[in-house]
Amino acid sequence: KGQDMRCEAQPKAGRAITAVLGAAALAGCATGVESEPGVARAGEVHRELLVLDTHLDTAINFGREGWDFSQAHDVSGEIAQVDLGRMAAGNLDGGFFVIFTEQGPLTADGYRSALDHARERSDTIDRELAKHPAMVGLARSAAEAEALIAQDKLIAFKSIENSYPIGEDLSLLREFYDAGVRMAGPVHGGTNQLGDSATDDAKWNGLSPLGRQWVREMNRLGMIIDASHASDVVLDQMLELSKAPIILSHSSPRWAYDHPRNIDDDRIRRIAAKGGAVCMSSIFMSELDLSGERGELFDQYDRIAQMTPAQQRELSRKWRALDATQPMWDVSFDRYMEALLHLIDVAGVDHVCFGTDWDGGGGIEGLMDVTDLPDVTARLIEAGYSQESIGKMTGGNVLRIMRAVEAARTR
């Protein structure tokens, strides 16, 4: 069923992308078997949708020796879940490529090292996109994203996960804005100079004084505030302070699993009331299993760009083998859909989006890479949602929020 829908979705890639991609990237679809009516309908709907993901950690794979971002890799033997080939097949039109920096010490040396890393990751994204100008382009606004769509190109935004690298110098936000970054979150797994993390001890009881200034500077520049990883109190304060809507780029409803990284129903409603959106993730709907070899492989993955092709293949082989015996998340696709439908019920279709956390720990059985996205569309159709409503959630809401943030900046 999923294979049929993916084949139905291919024409959305456009003539320009398909010409670059070639027949090899679309192999496996010319089966000669007609799709069932319901499957064909889902494929047609998905093909017409604008599909964006607000949190792509795929830049961790950029610069890998022998790895081609433009090709459609087979997830059964490849650790990466996103590439231009699989995106262009009609399943993902674009998203926010993440500049991630692990939390370090709140010292001058710590900030300096983190800034060097963030600058290099931003440049790495630029270099990778520059290799494939006929397939993908960097978008700095909603209008630029729409222009890329009109050119049959895929869309790349840039975002920052963890603003720790700016240290105590908020002017660095302008540097990253000028480099094309249009979304940022204040924290990651640890409390830092800007505020408290959802998964660390509280130091500031929410935002720090500098964090409050960070919110104002984000509004002034016209950058989307991302509350994923922030504590509940930080989220409450950002909702109060921000003059523009807020996004949670990759969070799951706490209804599905009681974890501090997730968001409760009351706060979902408050985000929606302020015009923002919660982007449904595939993480933390169960406990994360990084025991034994899985934890060792997870640590190795952070250094995959420094590995030889043979080492990369071995890491991918071991990773996928563990998916069958020790998955990171004990979550079925049915449970994922239950959580998604709950989120939609609470927030409304105008305030839901998708941030699966591809290449950053996301992915469950049945939703293991971007080629599985048509199955989500099919389930939403089965649940009674119209193409218009589904389109808001898959991409329309993200562009709406981006426009609202841009408008708040001009005011």
Side-chain angles (χ1 to χ4, degrees):
K1 177 178 178 181
Q3 178 69 26
D4 289 337
M5 281 187 288
R6 288 188 281 278
C7 295
E8 287 287 337
Q10 284 176 15
K12 188 173 63 171
R15 289 187 297 273
I17 293 176
T18 304
V20 175
L21 195 60
L26 302 178
C29 290
T31 62
V33 178
E34 293 185 6
S35 300
E36 299 173 10
V39 173
R41 167 63 178 157
E44 291 170 4
V45 170
H46 192 82
R47 183 180 63 232
E48 296 300 322
L49 297 174
L50 170 66
V51 183
L52 301 174
D53 190 288
T54 49
H55 195 84
L56 303 173
D57 277 306
T58 309
I60 194 172
N61 294 291
F62 293 169
R64 286 170 54 180
E65 182 184 355
W67 188 78
D68 189 344
F69 182 46
S70 73
Q71 296 303 303
H73 300 88
D74 186 346
V75 71
S76 65
E78 167 60 46
I79 194 169
Q81 296 165 303
V82 178
D83 52 49
L84 294 178
R86 282 175 282 181
M87 290 172 67
N91 301 295
L92 184 64
D93 294 296
F96 286 79
F97 289 86
V98 176
I99 301 164
F100 167 68
T101 307
E102 188 174 356
Q103 184 62 46
L106 307 183
T107 63
D109 286 344
Y111 295 144
R112 187 178 306 111
S113 176
L115 180 60
D116 289 344
H117 171 85
R119 283 169 168 164
E120 174 57 27
R121 181 57 60 88
S122 178
D123 291 344
T124 297
I125 294 171
D126 291 340
R127 287 193 294 269
E128 192 64 44
L129 297 179
K131 295 178 183 177
H132 314 287
M135 296 181 71
V136 63
L138 179 66
R140 299 173 180 84
S141 66
E144 289 189 4
E146 291 173 336
L148 288 168
I149 294 169
Q151 298 171 47
D152 286 336
K153 292 186 180 182
L154 300 170
I155 304 162
F157 299 103
K158 288 202 288 185
S159 65
I160 289 174
E161 184 177 28
N162 195 7
S163 292
Y164 162 64
I166 69 171
E168 298 176 345
D169 184 1
L170 293 179
S171 70
L172 289 170
L173 280 176
R174 180 59 193 240
E175 175 187 322
F176 283 104
Y177 178 89
D178 290 343
V181 173
R182 290 300 180 268
M183 181 191 297
V187 298
H188 186 249
T191 292
N192 65 19
Q193 76 276 21
L194 300 172
D196 298 331
S197 169
T199 50
D200 197 7
D201 295 335
K203 177 180 180 179
W204 307 103
N205 192 30
L207 290 163
S208 70
L210 183 66
R212 290 175 175 269
Q213 296 177 41
W214 177 91
V215 171
R216 289 191 284 270
E217 183 65 4
M218 290 284 289
N219 284 170
R220 189 187 73 81
L221 290 171
M223 296 172 69
I224 301 171
I225 292 174
D226 177 8
S228 285
H229 285 289
S231 72
D232 287 347
V233 181
V234 167
L235 172 56
D236 294 342
Q237 293 173 353
M238 290 196 296
L239 283 171
E240 178 184 350
L241 292 170
S242 180
K243 305 301 182 185
I246 288 173
I247 269 182
L248 273 72
S249 70
H250 59 306
S251 294
S252 302
R254 201 166 290 173
W255 171 89
Y257 187 71
D258 188 6
H259 190 281
R261 265 285 281 115
N262 294 338
I263 179 169
D264 62 82
D265 288 359
D266 179 63
R267 287 184 171 85
I268 292 172
R269 295 186 186 97
R270 288 161 58 191
I271 289 169
K274 293 276 189 171
V278 178
C279 302
M280 182 68 192
S281 186
S282 63
I283 64 172
F284 288 112
M285 286 183 287
S286 72
E287 196 59 38
L288 172 61
D289 186 353
L290 289 181
S291 60
E293 186 181 13
R294 175 67 83 177
E296 297 173 4
L297 296 178
F298 201 90
D299 291 339
Q300 292 175 30
Y301 185 31
D302 192 50
R303 303 185 299 276
I304 193 169
Q306 284 75 55
M307 293 181 178
T308 66
Q311 290 170 330
Q312 295 172 36
R313 289 192 295 271
E314 182 65 5
L315 173 60
S316 292
R317 185 191 66 78
K318 290 180 177 179
W319 186 280
R320 293 304 170 205
L322 274 184
D323 287 342
T325 60
Q326 185 193 336
M328 285 193 296
W329 308 106
D330 184 19
V331 178
S332 67
F333 183 63
D334 286 341
R335 181 58 174 169
Y336 169 87
M337 288 305 307
E338 289 175 355
L340 172 59
L341 293 173
H342 175 83
L343 175 61
I344 298 170
D345 285 342
V346 175
V349 297
D350 293 307
H351 306 285
V352 173
C353 41
F354 290 90
T356 312
D357 206 1
W358 298 122
D359 293 324
I364 58 175
E365 182 65 30
L367 188 63
M368 193 53 73
D369 75 353
V370 296
T371 65
D372 290 325
L373 291 176
D375 295 338
V376 179
T377 299
R379 290 291 191 94
L380 290 173
I381 292 172
E382 290 175 8
Y385 289 97
S386 67
Q387 181 170 340
E388 179 183 3
S389 293
I390 297 171
K392 289 179 179 180
M393 295 184 283
T394 60
N397 291 333
V398 173
L399 293 189
R400 172 186 60 78
I401 290 171
M402 179 169 278
R403 290 191 184 92
V405 172
E406 293 167 357
R409 175 195 63 204
T410 61
R411 287 199 300 270

